[in-house]
């Protein structure tokens, strides 16, 4: 796969990941943390704010993988 196409696909995947992850994280927070103290909210949003980086790192690693040389 050409590097430019891989980067385009990876960029679209990261955008979708961030949107879906943010919707899920806020929905879970609204459903479960309504009556929780402020420090539970802080811990939850700090953890979920950093957790999306792990799948994004995998996508970026895939995007930056060098192209295999063609064997002729």
């Amino acid at each position: 796969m050409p590097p430019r196409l891989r980067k385009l696909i990876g960029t679209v995947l990261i955008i979708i990941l961030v949107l879906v992850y943010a919707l899920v994280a806020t929905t879970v927070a609204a459903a479960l943390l309504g009556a929780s103290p402020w420090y539970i909210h802080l811990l939850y949003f700090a953890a979920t704010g950093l957790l999306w980086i792990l799948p994004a790192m995998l996508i970026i690693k895939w995007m930056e993988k060098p192209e295999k040389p063609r064997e002729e």
Side-chain angles (χ1 to χ4, degrees), residues 15-57:
I15 291 170
I16 292 170
L17 168 74
V18 169
L19 290 174
V20 170
Y21 186 81
L23 288 172
V24 169
T26 53
T27 302
V28 169
L32 299 178
L33 300 179
S36 300
W38 66 270
Y39 54 87
I40 299 295
H41 288 255
L42 180 67
L43 288 173
Y44 175 80
F45 283 109
T48 56
L50 295 173
L51 194 60
W52 70 273
I53 296 172
L54 297 175
M57 282 177 20

